[in-house]
Every structure is written in C-alpha cells, then in structure tokens.
Amino acid sequence: MVSEIIANKLSNARHVAVLTGAGVSAESGVPTFRDAGGLWAKYDPQQLATEAAFRADPDLVWRWYSWRRQLIANVNPNPGHFALAALHDMFPRFSLVTQNVDNLHQRAGSREVHELHGNIERSRCMICEAVFHGDEAPPGEHVLQCSCGGAIRPDVVWFGEQLPEKELRFATEAAVDCDVFLTIGTSGQVYPAAQLPLIAKQQGGAMLIEINPEPSALASMVDECICSPSGEVLPRLLDAIKAAR
Ligand code: OAD
C-alpha cells in the first residue's frame, strides 16, 4: 500500500505539508460533503452556508450547525488523525492545514492546526467580532445576540466569504516551502484550498501525494496516489517512515 518510493521520500523530507478535507474524518462518522449521501446531496448550501441564508433565516442555519456540532461532539478521532498527530515530530518542519471545522485533529493531539474554514465550536458576533468558545456558544435552536446587539453566527467560512488571511498566508507559504505535500481526503473542488497542491508542485517543486479512496479533481497532477481510506493508510505510512530510517 505504501510504496518504497513514498517511504524513502518521506523519511528524508525536510518539510512535509498536509492538506486535509472531510474524508479524513469520514471513518470517525462525520459525513463528507460531495460523496454519495454527503451533506451537499441532502442539503442546499445556499440555504445553510451563506451569509444571505443566515440573514434570511438565522434559526434554520443555527439548527443545522447545532445538529452538526452535536454529531461531531459524539464521535472520536480515528487512526488517521492520530497518525497525523504522531507525524508532527518526525520532520524538521511539519505543517498541518485543514479545511475541516470539526476539531478532530486537535482532539487527536495535533498541535498547530491551521484551519482554513474556521471551527464549528466557535461562534462570533457579526458586529463587534467577539468570539465565543464551546459552551459559551449558543447551545441550540435559536440565534443569540451579543451584548453589543449583534447577531452571533458560527465562526466558519461560508460560501462567498474570504478565508482567514493569516491561515491562508501560512498555508501558501508552507506549500511553496515544503518538499512533500500530502493531500488527504479532499475532493479538491473548493478554492482557494484546492490551489495549494498546485502551488506546492509548480512553485515549490514538491512531490505531491494523494490519499483518497476515489480519484479527486487533483488526481491528474499528483505524483503518487494511495487510493485507500486515510484511517488505514496513515498509520501504515507512519510505520513505513519509521522503518525506512
Ligand atoms: P468533499 O466532501 O468535497 O470531499 C471529500 C473527499 O474525501 C472525497 O474526495 C472522498 O473521495 C474522500 N474520502 C471519503 N472517505 C475517505 C476516507 N475514508 N479517507 C480518505 N478520503 C476519503 O470534502 P472537502 O474536499 O473537504 O467548505 O470539501 C471542501 C469544502 O467544501 C469543505 O471544507 C466545505 C465544503 O463546502 C465549507 O463549508 C466552506
């Protein structure tokens, strides 16, 4: 499953950068977006994941995010998340960038997780930008108001919104600098995140490795694909790197 070429390349890498997507949490029981039966097959993102949707029906949007937050609170990180946390200390530099909002990398012990699409455990006032964590956040059905009078929204990136500038800058710089870039569990359809593997390959000359049971939109540009679930591949990758050293 993990070829000698990949194990050798990784065992000698100076800087490994990783981009994860919803697929890395699939084996934990968190639904992906674009697979058959994924969230966007059942729900319309325009009605749930845009600022216009929130302004039109904040309670509906809150109910949907509360449901997702509850679902995530009831699952656990899988062996893929744990392997990524263990990989952190194995290279001179390791950069973990995620499109996921589910906190599962952090719960598996990953330090320095760079979140491009926010975090579902956080909420934020739309006027004064005050941030609320976990239990401070609105627990359920109804939209809450900040003490300044502003509506409180989930602190995630919605369609049509800018990504957090600092995290995107970090991710772009990591893509340029790394010598191996792993794209894991993402369909590669959402920009600017989907641009990062291309930047790594074209600007940084990195080896691009994909871990995904299905070919993604990035498939034609990757150097190597390990076409199996990340919860199976990543622990083996970890073992293969240890064995190659
Ligand atoms: P997608 O749902 O678009 O893609 C999930 C990918 O995971 C697919 O390519 C699957 O083949 C793959 N996959 C499924 N099970 C897997 C497994 N066990 N191991 C590895 N891969 C697996 O999710 P993302 O690419 O993360 O944005 O979607 C990107 C963004 O689109 C999300 O962050 C979200 C969504 O709209 C926002 O909400 C802003």
Side-chain angles (χ1 to χ4, degrees):
M1 183 193 269
V2 178
S3 72
E4 214 172 303
I5 300 173
I6 295 176
N8 283 336
K9 180 76 185 175
L10 275 166
S11 64
N12 294 312
R14 175 188 56 84
H15 178 188
V16 173
V18 180
L19 173 68
T20 63
V24 85
S25 298
E27 289 152 273
S28 293
V30 182
T32 62
F33 295 93
R34 293 175 185 78
D35 290 305
L39 291 175
W40 296 152
K42 293 190 194 133
Y43 303 99
D44 179 358
Q46 295 305 321
Q47 288 183 5
L48 295 163
T50 65
E51 186 176 329
F54 184 72
R55 291 195 186 279
D57 194 342
D59 280 352
L60 174 75
V61 172
W62 261 121
R63 273 201 302 280
W64 193 66
Y65 277 92
S66 297
W67 166 72
R68 285 181 60 200
R69 197 183 286 145
Q70 197 71 42
L71 189 155
I72 288 163
N74 287 320
V75 304
N76 292 308
N78 66 56
H81 295 109
F82 287 112
L84 282 171
L87 282 173
H88 185 282
D89 293 327
M90 296 193 66
F91 307 97
R93 189 172 171 205
F94 183 79
S95 304
L96 178 57
V97 176
T98 189
Q99 297 164 88
N100 298 345
V101 298
D102 60 22
N103 235 20
L104 289 176
H105 286 306
Q106 291 90 332
R107 285 171 57 196
S110 275
R111 308 188 298 278
E112 298 174 42
V113 183
H114 295 269
E115 296 172 319
L116 294 179
H117 292 168
N119 189 306
I120 203 163
E121 284 193 8
R122 283 194 315 261
S123 312
R124 132 171 94 80
C125 172
M126 290 176 80
I127 291 181
C128 74
E129 300 279 321
V131 172
F132 305 86
H133 293 270
D135 290 343
E136 300 166 18
E141 309 277 298
H142 300 291
V143 70
L144 287 193
Q145 272 201 336
C146 179
S147 54
C148 81
I152 297 174
R153 58 166 279 178
D155 194 11
V156 298
V157 174
W158 282 330
F159 286 98
E161 294 184 327
Q162 300 289 321
L163 271 58
E165 202 185 316
K166 188 169 146 239
E167 300 299 11
L168 184 59
R169 201 179 322 114
F170 174 90
T172 307
E173 185 273 321
V176 173
D177 181 67
C178 69
D179 38 14
V180 180
F181 191 100
L182 298 173
T183 172
I184 308 175
T186 178
S187 60
Q189 292 185 43
V190 175
Y191 286 79
Q195 193 73 26
L196 295 168
L198 196 69
I199 292 172
K201 194 174 163 96
Q202 292 186 339
Q203 289 185 40
M207 181 185 199
L208 191 54
I209 302 172
E210 173 159 76
I211 300 174
N212 194 320
E214 305 290 335
S216 75
L218 307 166
S220 63
M221 74 168 92
V222 303
D223 296 301
E224 301 278 345
C225 180
I226 311 179
C227 301
S228 297
S230 51
E232 293 171 21
V233 174
L234 287 166
R236 293 191 195 183
L237 198 66
L238 184 62
D239 289 344
I241 296 166
K242 285 181 185 161
R245 280 183 169 165

